[in-house]
Amino acid sequence: MVVFAPVPLMLKRRRLTKRKTLLSWSSGKDSAWALHLLQQDPSIELVGLFTLIEQKHNRASMHDTRIEMLQHQADAAGLPLELVVLPDECSNEQYDAIMQAYIASAASNRVECMAFGDLFVSEIRQYRERQLQGSGISPLFPLWGMCTRYLVETMLAAGLHAHISSVDLNKLPAQLAGKRWSKDVIAGFPDGCHPCGENGEIHTVVVAGPMFNKPIPVSVGAVIERDGFAYADIILQGSGV
């Protein structure tokens, strides 16, 4: 007869402990897929999303996403949203100070991890790791090192629906702004352009997918060119804008 020793109560509690985690929320597909993976991780307790906002345009940095859209995304994910506002002409020193203050605040609220949707740019990962060093908060990279082809196919097959909100005009044409991120669009990328836009070729706004409890109905508004980028305004339907 095999006798199993009882598991000590402290060990049981340790196994059930979940790490309180904040996710860096860009509004795009990579952070959305990171959210989806974290939602399935039994060791993670997601406590919120945080987004960097450019004060000058009052929108998400790089993605140019409206704050009302960010809030609808957070609502669809069932999570609170925190905005980290960056001043106009933000210097590296100002950025570092703002982020350090935010990290310290998160640590005081017993956040144990911050997660990011980075894929493979080691300089960005190392920078994030340095930011969190000594804070008591551990960085997480759920998508790190994934095969790009597998990731694209998996996201699209799962029903992730995203619109291209930002296009680097040095790499891609302006007419891609506003289009749905799809296999057909990716197939038209020239050699050297990353299909997920990991090198900044494109940024997206996610409006549906398995990470959301409901789709977000949107329309594509005006496309403008600014500072070498084309930006498409992804608007909530019925917003009257």
Side-chain angles (χ1 to χ4, degrees):
M1 180 178 66
V2 179
V3 178
F4 294 96
V7 178
L9 181 59
M10 288 297 292
L11 183 57
K12 285 184 179 179
R13 286 178 179 169
R14 190 175 299 121
R15 285 177 178 171
L16 294 174
T17 299
K18 293 187 174 186
R19 295 176 292 171
K20 291 187 176 181
T21 301
L22 283 169
L23 173 62
S24 176
W25 184 255
S26 68
S27 79
K29 57 188 169 31
D30 296 340
S31 59
W33 198 251
L35 170 61
H36 177 56
L37 296 182
L38 292 169
Q39 287 169 333
Q40 301 175 80
D41 189 333
S43 71
I44 296 297
E45 178 190 355
L46 280 164
V47 295
L49 311 174
F50 70 94
T51 302
L52 301 180
I53 297 294
E54 294 179 343
Q55 187 179 48
K56 182 176 182 179
H57 303 291
N58 206 34
R59 298 188 181 213
S61 179
M62 297 306 298
H63 293 246
D64 212 46
T65 309
R66 292 172 179 260
I67 290 177
E68 63 176 344
M69 178 67 73
L70 294 166
Q71 190 59 64
H72 271 71
Q73 290 178 320
D75 292 345
L79 291 168
L81 173 69
E82 296 181 348
L83 305 179
V84 181
V85 180
L86 304 176
D88 296 354
E89 307 300 329
C90 185
S91 68
N92 291 337
E93 291 76 17
Q94 287 175 304
Y95 176 84
D96 287 339
I98 290 168
M99 284 306 302
Q100 286 304 312
Y102 180 72
I103 289 166
S105 175
S108 71
N109 288 322
R110 299 185 178 180
V111 169
E112 298 165 87
C113 302
M114 281 188 177
F116 305 90
D118 302 309
L119 298 177
F120 64 78
V121 181
S122 58
E123 292 83 359
I124 294 177
R125 174 170 178 154
Q126 290 165 8
Y127 177 72
R128 300 197 196 284
E129 290 171 338
R130 287 195 301 272
Q131 281 188 314
L132 293 174
Q133 193 170 13
S135 68
I137 297 177
S138 301
L140 299 177
F141 300 91
L143 308 186
W144 189 258
M146 283 190 176
C147 170
T148 299
R149 180 178 297 178
Y150 167 81
L151 183 60
V152 169
E153 291 179 354
T154 301
M155 286 195 284
L156 291 173
L160 184 143
H161 180 165
H163 288 276
I164 297 174
S165 60
S166 169
V167 177
D168 184 343
L169 296 177
N170 289 318
K171 301 174 181 178
L172 290 167
Q175 57 261 36
L176 287 180
K179 290 190 177 297
R180 182 170 176 172
W181 182 70
S182 65
K183 287 184 179 180
D184 288 342
V185 165
I186 293 168
F189 285 6
D191 292 342
C193 278
H194 193 270
C196 288
E198 183 68 355
N199 295 310
E201 296 94 337
I202 60 167
H203 293 93
T204 59
V205 174
V206 170
V207 298
M211 68 293 303
F212 290 164
N213 56 38
K214 58 185 177 181
I216 303 171
V218 299
S219 57
V220 178
V223 175
I224 64 169
E225 295 186 17
R226 184 179 72 238
D227 301 327
F229 289 83
Y231 295 101
D233 201 5
I234 310 303
I235 303 170
L236 290 166
Q237 284 186 7
S239 65
V241 178

